[in-house]
Amino acid sequence: MRRIIIAIDGPAASGKSTAAKLLAARLGYVYIDTGAMYRTCALAAKRCGLDINDDDALSQLMNTIRLDIEYHEEGNRTYLNGEDVSREIREPDISRLASAISAKAIVREKMVELQRRLGEKGGVILDGRDIGTVVFPNAELKFFMIAPVETRARRRYLELIEKGSNPDYDTVLSELEERDKADSSRALAPLIPAKDAICIDSGPLGIEEQVELLHSYYQTRIASI
Ligand code: DC
C-alpha cells in the first residue's frame, strides 16, 4: 500500500502530538515532532546565552549545532550535539523561547530543510504549525486540530502536574494564549490551516476517538489514491 505524508497542524496542546504518535503506531508510520526541533534550537541558544535578535550569532549557531530526532513508538527522542535533551526541551521557558526563535528566517530555513529530508519518502506523520502550508504543501492528507484554549490549558496543566511540577493554571492559560498569538501572527509561516486541511475539534473527543476519526479519514483518502 502507498505510504503517504500526513500533516497535522494546530495550536499548542491541541492534542496533535498524542494523536499523531498513536496514529503513526497504528499505521506503522514514523512520527516526527517538528515542535521538538524548534525547542532544541531554543535550548541551544539559551545554553550559549545567545541574543536571538543577533542575526549573525544565530546564523552561526544554526550552522554549527547538530540536531537528531530518533523515532520510537512511545514518541521522539531529541538530541542536541549528541546529548539527549528530550526532557529539558519541555520546560516552560523553552516553550516561550521556541516560539520566539521559530519566527526567525534562518531557523525556519534549516528546520524545514531537515523536515523535508526526513519526510520526503512518505510513511510519515509530521505535526507542527506549518506542515500542510509550507513544509509539505503536497501532503496527501492534512489535518488542522483545534480545541478551546481552556481545554488546552487544562491538558497542559495536568501534564505538568504529572511530571511533578507545581503549575499555576492561570499562568499556563496566559502562556498558551500568548504563544498562540505569536505563532499565528508572525510574518513567516504563521499558524493557519491549509486550504485543503480537515479541521478536527479535539475538545469533546477522547484520545481514542480522535485517533479513530483521523484513521477513518486516512482510510477514505488512501482508497481514493
Ligand atoms: O508544538 P510545540 O508546542 O512543541 O512547538 C514549540 C514552538 O515551536 C511553537 O510555539 C512554534 C514553533 N513551531 C513552529 O513554528 N513550526 C512548527 N512546525 C512546529 C513548532
Side-chain angles (χ1 to χ4, degrees):
M1 191 172 317
R2 182 145 154 220
R3 292 168 64 77
I4 62 171
I5 297 176
I6 302 177
I8 308 187
D9 290 305
S14 54
K16 56 192 190 308
S17 56
T18 310
K21 214 183 308 179
L22 293 173
L23 183 64
R26 186 158 168 181
L27 299 178
Y29 275 30
V30 167
Y31 161 57
I32 301 169
D33 174 357
T34 65
M37 297 180 184
Y38 291 98
R39 286 171 179 273
T40 306
C41 296
L43 179 64
K46 180 189 162 191
R47 282 188 175 174
C48 54
L50 186 142
D51 169 5
I52 65 163
N53 295 314
D54 179 340
D55 288 343
D56 290 340
L58 188 58
S59 166
Q60 205 186 340
L61 178 78
M62 293 310 300
N63 286 322
T64 48
I65 57 168
R66 215 185 80 219
L67 198 161
D68 299 292
I69 295 279
E70 213 175 71
Y71 170 70
H72 299 272
E73 252 193 36
E74 64 278 9
N76 285 179
R77 297 221 71 82
T78 311
Y79 297 86
L80 170 59
N81 299 324
E83 177 193 343
D84 185 347
V85 293
S86 313
R87 272 183 83 86
E88 205 172 341
I89 57 169
R90 298 291 149 196
E91 296 297 325
D93 65 326
I94 296 296
S95 303
R96 274 189 299 275
L97 195 55
S99 177
I101 210 168
S102 72
K104 300 289 175 189
I106 178 72
V107 176
R108 298 211 74 82
E109 203 179 290
K110 294 278 174 196
M111 292 306 104
V112 169
E113 187 187 301
L114 175 60
Q115 290 154 18
R116 286 185 179 148
R117 214 165 49 229
L118 292 173
E120 67 192 354
K121 293 202 174 76
V124 286
I125 303 182
L126 298 99
D127 83 355
R129 303 293 187 288
D130 62 335
I131 308 302
T133 49
V134 174
V135 183
F136 286 113
N138 295 327
E140 289 88 347
L141 185 57
K142 299 179 187 177
F143 296 106
F144 195 80
M145 262 186 140
I146 53 159
V149 70
E150 293 79 13
T151 309
R152 295 188 283 118
R154 179 105 201 122
R155 280 182 192 150
R156 190 44 56 85
Y157 172 77
L158 294 174
E159 259 171 40
L160 289 168
I161 291 183
E162 210 168 285
K163 280 190 201 149
S165 330
N166 182 22
D168 170 57
Y169 173 80
D170 289 335
T171 309
V172 173
L173 176 68
S174 65
E175 285 190 356
L176 270 188
E177 282 173 331
E178 246 169 64
R179 197 144 66 90
D180 285 350
K181 193 165 151 224
D183 294 345
S184 309
S185 61
R186 68 185 180 212
L188 284 174
L191 168 68
I192 39 160
K195 277 197 209 74
D196 49 351
I198 299 161
C199 196
I200 307 273
D201 181 356
S202 75
L205 303 175
I207 184 62
E208 291 305 326
E209 290 169 309
Q210 288 170 39
V211 178
E212 206 45 59
L213 184 60
L214 299 190
H215 189 255
S216 66
Y217 279 114
Y218 161 80
Q219 283 180 310
T220 309
R221 184 69 184 103
I222 209 84
S224 74
I225 295 176

